[in-house]
Amino acid sequence: NDKGQTNITTGFDKKVKIIAAARKHTCMSTDEKTTCFGDNDFNKNNVPDEFQNGVKIIAVGDDHTCMSTDEKTTCFGSNMHGQIDLNK
């Protein structure tokens, strides 16, 4: 927990539907809200507004995060190795 990756965000203790964890950060989602916490290098915890609810899938790597709703998919964080290029 040296990066805060196990410090559950308030309000997420009983309603979590999806959780994904990497070495330095964790993301979780309920029906109403999605959050990521822990190390925020490369802004990998900054969940876009349009992905605050309705998230169906979360995948995390050491320095990036991806998530999908029924309509769209996004990835954010480090793109050092092309890991968030969805258009290629």
Side-chain angles (χ1 to χ4, degrees):
N1 192 35
D2 61 325
K3 304 290 184 183
Q5 66 271 35
T6 62
N7 297 338
I8 297 174
T9 304
T10 303
F12 282 86
D13 53 345
K14 297 179 183 169
K15 304 175 191 174
V16 174
K17 304 283 185 182
I18 304 166
I19 189 166
R23 186 168 53 101
K24 299 185 286 183
H25 76 295
T26 302
C27 296
M28 55 179 58
S29 187
T30 67
D31 290 332
E32 296 86 32
K33 184 165 176 63
T34 301
T35 190
C36 297
F37 48 91
D39 179 78
N40 197 26
D41 286 349
F42 309 105
N43 298 312
K44 63 185 172 241
N45 293 341
N46 297 359
V47 178
D49 290 341
E50 62 269 28
F51 287 86
Q52 285 298 317
N53 56 49
V55 171
K56 305 290 185 186
I57 299 168
I58 301 173
V60 298
D62 280 347
D63 292 316
H64 70 286
T65 301
C66 296
M67 50 187 64
S68 293
T69 66
D70 286 335
E71 293 81 33
K72 53 190 155 189
T73 299
T74 190
C75 293
F76 45 95
S78 172
N79 196 35
M80 189 178 306
H81 303 287
Q83 65 267 42
I84 64 171
D85 286 338
L86 296 176
N87 297 324
K88 290 188 176 184

